[in-house]
Amino acid sequence: MEQKKGFKLGLNQKQGLIGWAFLSVAAALIIVMNFYPMFRGFLFSLQTGVGANMEYAGLFNYRRLLEDPQFRQTVSNTFFYLAVQVPVMIVLGLILASMLNSKNLKFKGFFRTTIFLPCTVGLVAYSLVFRQMFAVSGIVNTIAMNIGIMDTPFNWFGTAWSARLIIILGLLWRWTGFNMIFYLAGLQNIDQSIYEAARIDGANVLQQFRRITIPVLRPIILLTAIMSTNGTLQLFDESVNLTGGGPGITSRSMSHHIFNAAFQGIPQIGYASAMSFVILLFVGTLAFIQIKIGDKR
């Protein structure tokens, strides 16, 4: 009698099953740690009340945030940081990377390390240092008065424009080196003969930067722009630890406002969840726009 042949998997099928076996653990963790909390957060955004007394309220929280002047102020603050800080940081990172990629520059390792080091400093630590620097009796006012720029100390945290400026300076100091490393890695993959040919053809440094460096680094610039945009829209530590959101709420970020709504005073978990999903909408929309604008394939 003929024996029935057992079912055997091919090599590709075995490899596929092994791959799915490894991925299943990571996928389960992502679902449990990311997607489930997002789903629960969305359910909370449709509810009002506190603790066990929370009840379904439909889109009430979303209508409320559209009418909330404080939320509109924090949105305005955050987009101001985004419009000023992100372009400056990208351009400054490109310039620094181009300078540090020069083969004639000495001590390149020292300069690269020095510029990147702020990225390794804790967010709370550097915020407190900046707060001391810009205090009324801080080093910034002391230097400005010694060189004759000011006659009396200036309260940097007392006006909206100066408080926002301090946050922008803090962000530039900490994150410009992070973007610079990406650009520097991309520049080191460009054949130097391209720049030499451009110099022979009469291209100056600015023309080389515009015609060679930026086009080659376009994908990396797009990546850093998306990361910087996402980080700025979720800005929290600087608003909390550097300016406290003041004066008033004129420098408060959206994430800071969400934190206050959820954990300060009477908890408003439903309202805070609704604001969180608005940030998610902003992040997704801007990332999509940046990809469409930057993708030149």
Side-chain angles (χ1 to χ4, degrees):
M1 295 179 63
E2 292 185 3
Q3 294 181 350
K4 293 184 178 180
K5 295 182 178 180
F7 178 73
K8 293 184 178 180
L9 296 175
L11 179 60
N12 290 337
Q13 291 173 318
K14 290 181 179 179
Q15 291 177 340
L17 287 176
I18 292 172
W20 280 110
F22 281 106
L23 286 174
S24 61
V25 178
L29 288 174
I30 291 173
I31 291 172
V32 173
M33 303 301 294
N34 290 322
F35 290 106
Y36 178 71
M38 289 174 62
F39 174 72
R40 290 289 297 171
F42 179 71
L43 294 181
F44 280 134
S45 72
L46 302 177
Q47 299 175 7
T48 58
V50 180
N53 297 323
M54 293 188 71
E55 56 185 17
Y56 178 75
L59 298 178
F60 171 79
N61 289 319
Y62 292 95
R63 292 194 297 269
R64 176 186 171 187
L65 65 86
L66 292 176
E67 301 171 355
D68 184 357
Q70 290 191 353
F71 179 71
R72 290 199 298 268
Q73 177 67 58
T74 59
V75 171
S76 175
N77 296 340
T78 305
F79 273 86
F80 175 77
Y81 302 142
L82 177 67
V84 176
Q85 176 254 339
V86 172
V88 173
M89 183 170 60
I90 290 175
V91 173
L92 188 58
L94 282 168
I95 294 173
L96 290 172
S98 298
M99 294 172 60
L100 295 178
N101 192 51
S102 173
K103 62 182 181 181
N104 298 322
L105 180 66
K106 296 181 180 180
F107 308 110
K108 286 189 287 189
F110 170 77
F111 290 120
R112 293 173 182 177
T113 303
T114 302
I115 296 173
F116 181 74
L117 271 179
C119 301
T120 65
V121 178
L123 291 168
V124 175
Y126 104 82
S127 295
L128 294 177
V129 170
F130 265 72
R131 189 172 184 85
Q132 292 299 319
M133 288 173 54
F134 286 93
V136 175
S137 58
I139 189 172
V140 174
N141 278 335
T142 301
I143 293 175
M145 288 189 296
N146 287 339
I147 63 178
I149 296 178
M150 297 187 304
D151 296 326
T152 57
F154 180 74
N155 184 6
W156 293 94
F157 298 100
T159 63
W161 70 267
S162 56
R164 293 171 185 165
L165 176 63
I166 292 172
I167 289 181
I168 291 173
L169 290 175
L171 292 171
L172 290 174
W173 177 82
R174 192 174 195 276
W175 294 112
T176 299
F178 181 79
N179 285 348
M180 182 204 71
I181 292 298
F182 282 89
Y183 304 143
L184 192 57
L187 285 172
Q188 291 177 348
N189 291 323
I190 303 176
D191 192 343
Q192 290 298 315
S193 62
I194 299 176
Y195 289 102
E196 293 174 2
R199 282 194 293 269
I200 292 173
D201 289 339
N204 56 36
V205 175
L206 181 60
Q207 290 172 328
Q208 293 174 39
F209 183 76
R210 290 176 52 201
R211 303 294 183 180
I212 300 175
T213 303
I214 292 180
V216 173
L217 294 182
R218 185 186 299 275
I220 301 177
I221 295 172
L222 176 61
L223 171 66
T224 55
I226 292 174
M227 291 192 302
S228 300
T229 298
N230 293 351
T232 304
L233 288 176
Q234 300 173 65
L235 180 69
F236 178 77
D237 293 271
E238 289 78 6
S239 178
V240 173
N241 298 303
L242 191 51
T243 66
I249 62 168
T250 54
S251 66
R252 184 186 296 178
S253 66
M254 290 188 291
S255 295
H256 187 182
H257 190 58
I258 292 171
F259 175 83
N260 285 354
F263 303 109
Q264 299 291 326
I266 300 176
Q268 304 176 67
I269 301 299
Y271 187 48
S273 298
M275 289 189 286
S276 298
F277 273 88
V278 171
I279 292 182
L280 177 63
L281 179 63
F282 286 150
V283 169
T285 302
L286 289 177
F288 177 78
I289 293 172
Q290 289 171 327
I291 289 173
K292 284 298 182 182
I293 294 176
D295 188 0
K296 298 297 182 181
R297 289 177 298 178

